[in-house]
């Protein structure tokens, strides 16, 4: 009996020991598994965080504005460009598009894409936060079961493109008008001659002079247009050399002395010796001719036109063409370098102007790496300033 009890006790003790060992082992395993699981969870969280950060960085670097909506039309994602374009903050995420943008057309677009389920394109004009033209593409999203899951809106800013299209259309309209006017004058003069005018010697001379004058105007206009086209496309080759400025200005002054005298204008060269620009001599002569010609044409009768110059800092030189004429009104001052802009259209045409002279001046000076600007006030004359890279003089 005693032996039996002792054996039973030993067995029980052994079992209890084994159970204790198993429990310890299970506990250690469970702790190890938990550690492993936590590490895995952390790694997943880190990877997810890195992915999200990378995706946000990518979306924020997009030029296009991006808005993602959920199935109920609530904003779930907005990139930086969309914030800028529509002027709302990320804080508005969670609200509806209409609450965030307050623009019915955009909200209607989102509703349309949900109904149609395909890509919808729409051009939109925004007045605030800034005047913009946007091309919006919207596409519906679907989940794995093909149920509607919202929409993605991509806004592409086409403001500059539309502006350029407007400039191009205006330019074509202006060119057509400028060509048509002298052409119709040439045509009617020729018709008058054919209809019998040629038999009258005085009329013959007069009408031939009209034809000659307007044919010359057409030639000037076409030359200016071709030059501008070459400047625009960068197809113009500039032959840079050190151009002594006093001598270059003197050539132009000599060319225009007769024209100045005909209006009683004193034309003077006040450029000091020792100044030189790194320039294409022929193109610089064209720039100076345009500015001096304008100063004589639009300046005061019996007035004074002075061309002066000085060295600036940082290896640049400046030339000024000054007149004491009626000046340019402030609202026109910002536009005088535009193609075909004239303060007084009739006056410019009567003087044989193409309306392209200052646009050519600006483009040629910029092709030299220089700048041009104008200072003027009504009744106080006009000064055109141009800066060019300086050159060492021999
Ligand atoms: P245009 O062929 O008409 O002279 P430009 O491009 O040379 O064309 O000049 C544009 C317009 O700028 C002129 O029509 C004129 O109204 C104005 N303008 C240019 N130079 C002067 C000036 N020195 N004084 C006043 N107005 C000027």
């Amino acid at each position: 009996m005693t032996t039996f009890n002792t054996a039973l006790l030993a067995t029980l003790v052994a079992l209890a020991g084994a159970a204790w060992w198993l429990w310890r082992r299970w506990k250690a395993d469970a702790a190890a598994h938990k550690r492993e699981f936590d590490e895995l969870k952390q790694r997943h969280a880190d990877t997810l965080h890195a992915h999200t950060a990378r995706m946000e960085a990518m979306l924020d670097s997009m030029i296009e504005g991006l808005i993602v909506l959920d199935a109920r039309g609530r904003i779930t994602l907005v990139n930086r460009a969309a914030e800028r374009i529509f002027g709302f903050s990320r804080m508005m995420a969670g609200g509806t598009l209409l609450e965030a943008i307050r623009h019915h057309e955009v909200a209607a677009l989102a509703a349309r894409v949900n109904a149609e389920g395909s890509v919808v394109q729409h051009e939109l004009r925004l007045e605030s936060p800034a005047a913009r033209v946007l091309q919006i593409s919207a596409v519906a999203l679907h989940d794995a079961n093909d149920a509607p899951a919202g929409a993605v809106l991509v806004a592409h800013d086409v403001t500059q493109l539309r502006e350029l299209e407007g400039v191009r259309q205006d330019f074509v309209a202006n060119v057509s008008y400028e060509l048509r006017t002298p052409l119709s004058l040439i045509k009617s003069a020729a018709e008058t001659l054919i209809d019998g005018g040629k038999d009258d010697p005085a009329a013959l001379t007069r009408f031939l002079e009209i034809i000659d004058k307007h044919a010359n105007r057409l030639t000037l206009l076409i030359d200016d247009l071709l030059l501008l086209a070459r400047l625009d496309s960068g197809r113009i080759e500039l032959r840079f050399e050190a151009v002594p400025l006093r001598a270059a200005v003197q050539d132009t002054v000599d060319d225009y002395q007769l024209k100045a005298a005909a209006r009683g204008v004193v034309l003077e060269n006040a450029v000091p010796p020792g100044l030189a620009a790194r320039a294409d001599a022929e193109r610089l002569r064209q720039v100076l001719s345009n500015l001096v010609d304008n100063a004589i044409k639009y300046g005061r009768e019996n007035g004074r036109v002075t061309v002066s110059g000085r060295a600036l800092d940082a290896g640049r030189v400046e030339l000024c063409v000054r007149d004491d004429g009626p000046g340019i009104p402030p609202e026109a001052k910002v536009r005088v370098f535009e193609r075909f802009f004239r303060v007084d259209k009739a006056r410019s045409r009567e003087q044989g102007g193409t309306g392209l002279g200052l646009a050519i001046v600006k483009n040629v000076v910029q092709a030299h790496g220089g700048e041009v600007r104008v200072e003027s006030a009504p009744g106080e004359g006009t000064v055109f300033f141009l800066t060019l890279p300086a050159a060492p003089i021999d």
Side-chain angles (χ1 to χ4, degrees):
M1 191 64 189
T2 318
T3 318
F4 174 75
N5 281 345
T6 311
L8 185 66
L9 197 66
T11 310
L12 284 174
V13 168
L15 279 173
W20 168 247
W21 182 83
L22 280 171
W23 183 76
R24 286 277 308 271
R25 175 81 195 273
W26 175 82
K27 220 177 137 188
D29 281 357
H33 280 129
K34 186 170 180 317
R35 257 199 323 277
E36 248 175 60
F37 178 72
D38 285 349
E39 273 172 26
L40 206 66
K41 215 168 81 182
Q42 187 59 45
R43 272 213 301 279
H44 270 92
D46 289 349
T47 315
L48 195 67
H49 188 263
H51 277 336
T52 311
R54 213 169 61 202
M55 199 179 83
E56 272 183 11
M58 267 161 50
L59 294 179
D60 282 343
S61 66
M62 279 172 64
I63 300 168
E64 291 85 6
L66 181 106
I67 302 171
V68 182
L69 304 174
D70 67 12
R72 290 184 306 149
R74 305 214 162 256
I75 300 170
T76 55
L77 195 143
V78 172
N79 74 347
R80 203 161 278 160
E83 287 172 29
R84 185 173 33 79
I85 292 171
F86 294 106
F88 59 58
S89 80
R90 250 160 238 227
M91 305 302 286
M92 287 172 175
T96 65
L97 207 52
L98 194 59
E99 285 163 358
I101 300 178
R102 304 201 171 278
H103 207 295
H104 287 273
E105 265 183 86
V106 186
L109 191 71
R112 213 177 108 200
V113 77
N114 278 330
E116 293 177 14
S118 59
V119 178
V120 177
Q121 295 250 359
H122 183 78
E123 189 154 307
L124 175 80
R125 279 178 190 276
L126 277 190
E127 294 310 326
S128 72
R132 292 178 197 273
V133 186
L134 302 174
Q135 178 95 55
I136 301 196
S137 310
V139 61
L141 295 176
H142 295 96
D143 66 13
N145 303 318
D146 218 22
V152 179
L153 271 71
V154 178
H156 188 62
D157 192 339
V158 291
T159 315
Q160 231 182 358
L161 201 70
R162 294 290 174 268
E163 274 170 13
L164 284 176
E165 276 170 12
V167 170
R168 188 182 56 81
Q169 280 162 6
D170 288 353
F171 183 69
V172 171
N174 276 322
V175 170
S176 316
Y177 180 81
E178 297 292 334
L179 289 174
R180 203 173 326 119
T181 313
L183 269 176
S184 66
L185 291 169
I186 291 173
K187 194 165 183 311
S188 61
E191 279 169 2
T192 313
L193 289 176
I194 293 165
D195 290 347
K198 61 182 182 306
D199 303 326
D200 170 359
L204 180 64
T205 314
R206 196 151 47 89
F207 285 110
L208 284 178
E209 276 170 6
I210 290 176
I211 292 174
D212 185 52
K213 179 177 161 194
H214 291 290
N216 284 339
R217 195 168 147 202
L218 278 178
T219 311
L220 274 183
L221 182 65
I222 289 166
D223 285 350
D224 280 358
L225 284 170
L226 288 176
L227 177 60
L228 270 175
R230 281 166 62 207
L231 284 161
D232 280 347
S233 63
R235 272 186 294 118
I236 194 143
E237 202 186 308
L238 296 176
R239 273 190 292 255
F240 287 107
E241 57 182 311
V243 180
L245 292 177
R246 188 172 163 79
V249 169
Q250 193 56 46
D251 285 344
T252 309
V253 166
D254 292 345
D255 289 346
Y256 282 88
Q257 211 53 268
L258 270 180
K259 191 168 182 175
R263 287 203 83 206
V265 172
V266 175
L267 176 59
E268 60 176 0
N269 176 5
V271 178
L275 274 188
R278 189 177 165 274
D280 179 312
E282 198 40 50
R283 296 293 166 210
L284 181 59
R285 191 184 177 121
Q286 199 165 11
V287 164
L288 288 169
S289 297
N290 274 330
L291 294 177
V292 168
D293 187 38
N294 279 351
I296 297 169
K297 278 192 311 198
Y298 305 113
R300 192 165 60 86
E301 215 174 339
N302 302 319
R304 179 178 285 272
V305 173
T306 311
V307 188
S308 57
R310 65 186 176 123
L312 296 179
D313 54 337
R316 292 174 308 143
V317 284
E318 181 186 73
L319 283 174
C320 307
V321 180
R322 179 186 303 270
D323 66 61
D324 54 0
I328 301 174
E331 65 283 4
K333 219 171 65 175
V334 288
R335 300 196 56 197
V336 285
F337 295 103
E338 284 175 22
R339 290 157 203 214
F340 296 116
F341 178 82
R342 288 129 159 163
V343 179
D344 180 343
K345 284 192 173 57
R347 171 111 191 262
S348 158
R349 292 212 178 89
E350 173 199 304
Q351 305 270 1
T354 60
L356 296 173
L358 289 179
I360 290 176
V361 166
K362 183 178 166 193
N363 279 264
V364 170
V365 172
Q366 284 180 343
H368 280 76
E371 282 163 28
V372 56
R373 69 191 165 88
V374 60
E375 274 180 17
S376 184
E380 290 182 23
T382 304
V383 195
F384 281 92
F385 295 88
L386 52 105
T387 56
L388 291 168
I393 202 160
D394 306 326

